């Protein structure tokens, strides 16, 4: 059986991403939260350890109320350096200061939008919905064992990047931005990020398909082979939607010239050896050998000007 997939809403996580995205914008971004956005901007400059952002995400997921989030200031990871601790405390203080305005003016509309995504897309597709067929095939073909805890999808209106993940006592979670993403693109994004999550959290057992490919590809340029592997995850996510949900689906690679440019040299491998494997025409070992042999013939990308 595939790893159970759930969905939930964290309004603290929503506020955190709202301020974080604004801190990457102009000085005038979100003037009603100007002090909090400035604090986030300062914290981003101070924080060098990614554990700062992991701690904040985990804290937002584990606490439903702002009072609970406030208490997490006493549980900062002891391994954080002083500047990173100060950055984390600055973020928590900014969230606490922004919460009253968010609760009074923004929370209802944003919560309504997120509830629609959960009701109309996530809960209809998973746990008995069409996307479960994708998960079964993904787990089977990539030789993934189910995770030891469920995965909860937390939609947010916007985020700096898709796919932030972590683990709390309640299980794993993935944070996904939803603004501007049609239903099938959102599902494709979820399959993409779930693939990474499953791969990174495999326990001892049969080697997964990504692990086998990486072992055989260890002699090649590491950056080029990692680009090939990430391209496979991205392309396969779109292919799963096309095969199991809607054959007319326009995948991210079909819609994004930037994404297509990154993986275009590898498309013949995905459409050839990988599709043959998906369709049961080749074994695991045959597929690994065919893909690595085909990769060896792809010219390395030319370095950018000035490098």
């Amino acid at each position: 059986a595939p790893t159970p997939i759930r969905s939930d809403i964290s309004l603290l996580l929503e506020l955190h991403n709202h301020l974080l995205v604004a801190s990457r914008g102009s000085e005038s971004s979100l003037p009603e939260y100007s002090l909090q956005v400035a604090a986030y901007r300062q914290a981003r400059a101070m924080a060098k350890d990614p554990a700062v952002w992991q701690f904040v995400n985990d804290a937002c997921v584990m606490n439903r109320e702002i009072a609970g989030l406030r208490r997490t200031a006493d549980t900062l990871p002891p391994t954080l350096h002083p500047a990173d601790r100060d950055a984390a405390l600055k973020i928590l203080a900014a969230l606490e200061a922004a919460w009253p305005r968010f609760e009074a003016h923004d929370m209802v509309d944003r919560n309504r939008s997120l509830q629609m995504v959960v009701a109309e897309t996530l809960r209809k597709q998973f746990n008995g919905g069409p996307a479960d067929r994708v998960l079964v095939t993904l787990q089977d073909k990539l030789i993934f064992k189910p995770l030891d805890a469920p995965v909860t999808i937390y939609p947010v209106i916007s985020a700096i990047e898709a796919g932030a993940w972590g683990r709390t006592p309640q299980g794993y979670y993935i944070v996904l931005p939803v603004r501007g993403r049609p239903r099938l693109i959102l599902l494709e994004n979820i399959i993409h990020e779930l693939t990474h999550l499953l791969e990174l959290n495999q326990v001892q057992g049969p080697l997964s398909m990504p692990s086998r490919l990486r072992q055989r590809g260890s002699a090649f340029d590491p950056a080029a082979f990692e680009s090939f592997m990430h391209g496979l995850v991205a392309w396969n996510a779109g292919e799963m939607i096309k095969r199991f949900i809607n054959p007319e689906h326009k995948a991210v690679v079909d819609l994004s010239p930037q994404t297509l440019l990154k993986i275009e040299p590898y498309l013949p491998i995905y459409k050839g050896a990988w599709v043959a494997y998906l369709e049961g025409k080749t074994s695991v070992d045959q597929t690994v050998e065919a893909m690595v042999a085909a990769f060896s013939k792809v010219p390395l990308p030319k370095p950018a000007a000035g490098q």
Side-chain angles (χ1 to χ4, degrees):
T3 299
I5 307 298
R6 303 169 177 173
S7 53
D8 202 354
I9 293 170
S10 165
L11 293 170
L12 288 172
L13 200 59
E14 172 62 22
L15 176 58
H16 167 55
N17 281 276
H18 190 40
L19 298 175
L20 186 58
V21 169
S23 74
R24 291 281 293 266
S26 66
E27 293 291 333
S28 60
S29 297
L30 290 185
E32 65 273 29
Y33 295 99
S34 58
L35 293 178
Q36 292 79 46
V37 171
Y40 262 70
R41 195 172 283 118
Q42 293 164 8
R44 286 182 46 243
M46 295 163 60
K48 306 303 179 187
D49 190 340
V52 171
W53 305 105
Q54 189 68 64
F55 172 80
V56 174
N57 281 340
D58 291 351
C60 287
V61 167
M62 288 189 292
N63 292 279
R64 292 283 181 176
E65 305 293 337
I66 195 68
L69 187 70
R70 187 183 304 123
R71 290 191 291 270
T72 63
D74 298 326
T75 63
L76 287 170
T79 54
L80 288 179
H81 291 133
D84 293 309
R85 292 179 61 85
D86 290 344
L89 292 173
K90 188 178 286 289
I91 295 164
L92 294 177
L95 281 168
E96 183 177 357
W99 183 257
R101 179 177 182 86
F102 180 75
E103 189 174 36
H105 298 283
D106 300 320
M107 186 176 74
V108 171
D109 286 343
R110 298 178 85 86
N111 186 37
R112 185 183 297 117
S113 296
L114 295 174
Q115 290 286 1
M116 288 181 62
V117 171
V118 168
E120 296 300 321
T121 299
L122 300 181
R123 289 179 181 162
K124 280 187 177 180
Q125 296 296 323
F126 294 98
N127 296 319
D132 280 358
R133 293 177 295 170
V134 175
L135 295 179
V136 169
T137 301
L138 187 75
Q139 186 173 287
D140 177 46
K141 290 298 183 179
L142 275 73
I143 318 178
F144 286 152
K145 295 182 67 175
L147 298 182
D148 57 349
V151 178
T152 302
I153 308 296
Y154 283 97
V156 294
I157 301 297
S158 56
I160 289 178
E161 59 184 0
W165 71 275
R167 183 171 184 180
T168 71
Q170 288 72 45
Y172 300 89
Y173 68 85
I174 297 175
V175 182
L176 282 174
V178 300
R179 174 177 284 158
R181 287 169 167 81
R183 179 177 63 89
L184 292 182
I185 290 293
L186 181 57
L187 288 177
E188 182 183 336
N189 293 159
I190 291 171
I191 298 305
H192 181 140
E193 300 306 334
L194 277 172
T195 305
H196 289 310
L197 182 66
L198 286 163
E199 180 185 357
L200 290 169
N201 290 281
Q202 289 296 291
V203 295
Q204 286 186 340
L207 277 181
S208 69
M209 178 60 106
S211 294
R212 296 175 192 222
L213 284 167
R214 284 194 168 88
Q215 278 190 352
R216 288 288 290 110
S218 60
F220 298 111
D221 176 76
F225 201 79
E226 195 55 38
S227 176
F228 166 70
M229 291 297 299
H230 189 266
L232 176 61
V233 171
W235 186 86
N236 188 64
E239 184 68 8
M240 291 291 98
I241 302 298
K242 291 177 182 178
R243 286 175 175 265
F244 292 99
I245 298 180
N246 186 342
E248 303 301 319
H249 171 57
K250 294 295 183 183
V252 171
V253 68
D254 300 319
L255 300 173
S256 169
Q258 184 179 13
T259 302
L260 177 61
L261 183 64
K262 291 179 181 178
I263 71 171
E264 195 167 21
Y266 314 125
L267 285 178
I269 307 175
Y270 307 152
K271 293 179 179 180
W274 186 251
V275 164
Y277 175 60
L278 291 180
E279 295 177 349
K281 298 174 182 176
T282 56
S283 68
V284 172
D285 291 339
Q286 289 171 332
T287 303
V288 170
E289 292 304 317
M291 293 183 75
V292 171
F295 177 84
S296 69
K297 300 174 183 176
V298 176
L300 283 174
K302 295 180 180 179
Q307 293 185 353

